[in-house]
Structures are given as structure tokens and as C-alpha cells.
Amino acid sequence: MAHHPDSVRINKAISDSGYCSRRQADTLIEEGIVTLNGITATHGDRVMPNDEVKISGKPIRENDTTVYIMLNKPVGITCTTDRRVKGNVVDFMKHEERIFHVGRLDKPSEGLLLMTNDGDIVNKILRAGNEHDKEYIVTVDRPITPDFIERMSNGIPILDTITKKCEVEQLSRFVFRIVLVQGLNRQIRRMCEYLGYEVERLKRVRIMNLELGTLPVGKWRDLTKEEVRELKNRVEDSQNTPQANRSEKTEGKRRRR
């Protein structure tokens, strides 16, 4: 029997909500305390996004506890959910929900970091390809030349590849703006190093439609409803599966018409 593409098995729905592991969910289903839309659930049940799953009468995730947060990450905080790492971002924020970061910013970098408990959007954003642009303001250790800007925009050989063409603009003697659509390990730092420059300050100011704006370092705020809506619109074409790439060509044709 073909399953609806948006449906997931009930044990996965429970584990995706962060309530417990799949195996623990199986045990709860066996105990008969899990309900799906008010009916006692069984192992084979499949859950649609708007279905209500309860355990002992309590919803596994209240609809309004999905959080989307913009953090202005300070230098020195590490993007990891591993609480054993000193200065990890989770302990830094002390948020009551179990949240994790979307993508990462190196420890010595600062700026916009998206934090959420919505696992679905994380995968979609990371797979959104060219739609997923990120803007940085970078300060380097010596004066920027037209040649530097041109070479940075046209691709630099790092990590056995050549970086994709990107938008680079000089802002002042030592400062430039760069928009990336890929996220190689320490990409901007490595690109600058290749050209003999050292990054002194690296700040991410935008991810897709999300602008850091005047949010102070170390502070965070919830995204507005409008920001969340726009973000979801931008990534809805990128399915949450690796085969998304295969259908991109047909998608592109449809969109261009």
C-alpha cells in the first residue's frame, strides 16, 4: 500500500518530537498509553502533520512549542549540543526547549545563528542549495585590493575543490562583504589564507531572509511569524531527502515558466 508522502510511522513521529527514542516509543505503544486522534495507537499507525498524538493524554508536542530563534553568537561560543564542551551554545542560551543550531559558526566567528527544535526545517535549509545564501562581513589584516575581490568572487582552490562563484564587495580598506551559497569547513578563512590574508573578524549578518539587524552580541530573539513563513516558503521546494537533487532539473523548468 502506498503511503502518503507526509506521513511517518508513529514511533518515528514520537521520537522526532524529542519525547523519547523510537524504541522507547514502541514500548509506550505496547503499553497502550499512546493515542492517535483519540484512538489507542498500534505499531503500524502512520501520522500526518496535523494528527494529534498523545501519551497518557498529553500531546507529545504542543503545536506552539516549535521555536525558531535568532542568536547573535559571541566569539568563543562553540556550535555544539554536546554539553561536555565548555562554552557550548546550548548552555550559553539556557533555553527551556531542547534546541539545536542550524549549520554552524566557528568558535572565533560571531553573528547570526539560527536555533530551533524543528528537525524538519534543519534538513531542508541545509539542502536548499542556492536558495540558502549567507552573508558575512569580514575584516582582514591588510588592505584589500581589486585583485583580492576578483579572485575571491571567482573561486579559490581549497579542500580539494574550487569554491563556487560568489558575490564579494569591498566596504572599506580592511573590510569586505561576501555572500556564500555553500558552507565548506572554515571556508572564508581558508579562502583568505590562500590569498595571503588573515581574517581578524568574521561576522554573519544574514541567512536567507533572516537579517541580524541591530540584535546585540550575545542576545537572541524569536523569529517573527512573517520571518518563519518566508523561511519555510524558501525551503519548501527542497524536499527533506537526498533525492531532491535529482528532481531539481524538472523543478527548475516548472518554476521558470
Side-chain angles (χ1 to χ4, degrees):
M1 192 180 98
H3 296 302
H4 192 284
D6 290 338
S7 72
V8 294
R9 288 196 56 157
I10 188 153
N11 58 357
K12 183 174 188 309
I14 295 171
S15 81
D16 284 352
S17 77
Y19 187 93
C20 62
S21 72
R22 266 190 223 196
R23 191 171 292 163
Q24 289 164 321
D26 285 335
T27 310
L28 298 173
I29 293 164
E30 274 156 31
E31 288 172 13
I33 58 172
V34 179
T35 59
L36 174 56
N37 298 330
I39 297 161
T40 304
T42 61
H43 285 299
D45 287 345
R46 296 187 73 86
V47 179
M48 290 289 291
N50 297 324
D51 286 342
E52 189 172 44
V53 178
K54 291 184 175 178
I55 295 172
S56 302
K58 291 200 181 76
I60 48 171
R61 179 149 108 200
E62 300 285 359
N63 292 336
D64 56 4
T65 57
T66 313
V67 295
Y68 303 92
I69 293 170
M70 171 188 295
L71 165 70
N72 187 346
K73 182 188 97 66
V75 171
I77 294 297
T78 302
C79 288
T80 177
T81 47
D82 184 346
R83 309 291 284 271
R84 293 167 302 194
V85 175
K86 201 166 169 287
N88 70 77
V89 68
V90 178
D91 283 342
F92 173 74
M93 290 183 68
K94 297 188 174 61
H95 198 276
E96 69 262 20
E97 294 290 331
R98 275 175 48 187
I99 52 176
F100 35 85
H101 47 91
V102 183
R104 49 194 309 274
L105 270 178
D106 299 322
K107 188 175 175 180
S109 305
E110 60 185 296
L112 174 54
L113 187 64
L114 181 59
M115 303 285 297
T116 183
N117 55 2
D118 177 355
D120 191 41
I121 204 162
V122 180
N123 298 325
K124 284 182 176 167
I125 288 176
L126 298 181
R127 295 207 172 101
N130 293 345
E131 308 296 315
H132 178 207
D133 54 331
K134 305 176 291 289
E135 185 176 328
Y136 301 81
I137 305 292
V138 188
T139 308
V140 284
D141 63 339
R142 56 199 192 82
I144 293 165
T145 61
D147 178 61
F148 172 86
I149 295 293
E150 191 188 346
R151 291 175 72 184
M152 286 288 282
S153 353
N154 280 313
I156 300 279
I158 58 169
L159 299 168
D160 302 327
T161 183
I162 291 177
T163 58
K164 289 183 180 171
K165 287 191 184 225
C166 61
E167 187 187 330
V168 186
E169 178 194 11
Q170 181 166 353
L171 298 180
S172 64
R173 200 167 169 220
F174 296 96
V175 182
F176 67 93
R177 183 178 78 85
I178 182 167
V179 180
L180 295 184
V181 293
Q182 62 188 147
L184 302 173
N185 184 353
R186 303 183 60 246
Q187 179 167 350
I188 296 171
R189 293 176 194 279
R190 289 178 199 265
M191 288 168 79
C192 290
E193 270 163 28
Y194 181 85
L195 297 176
Y197 285 70
E198 200 166 313
V199 169
E200 297 204 324
R201 188 173 179 206
L202 199 162
K203 181 178 187 180
R204 181 158 65 194
V205 293
R206 181 174 66 80
I207 299 176
M208 299 165 88
N209 62 306
L210 307 175
E211 307 251 3
L212 189 60
T214 54
L215 187 66
V217 176
K219 299 285 184 239
W220 66 86
R221 66 170 178 82
D222 290 305
L223 297 190
T224 63
K225 283 202 167 69
E226 189 45 53
E227 283 172 328
V228 173
R229 194 177 308 127
E230 166 73 6
L231 185 63
K232 287 183 168 174
N233 279 344
R234 285 210 188 187
V235 298
E236 74 173 336
D237 275 347
S238 45
Q239 285 94 8
N240 190 350
T241 52
Q243 74 239 27
N245 301 336
R246 265 180 289 188
S247 62
E248 258 171 16
K249 290 192 178 76
T250 50
E251 280 292 316
K253 279 188 197 119
R254 267 219 303 276
R255 253 184 305 206
R256 274 196 294 273
R257 265 182 205 154

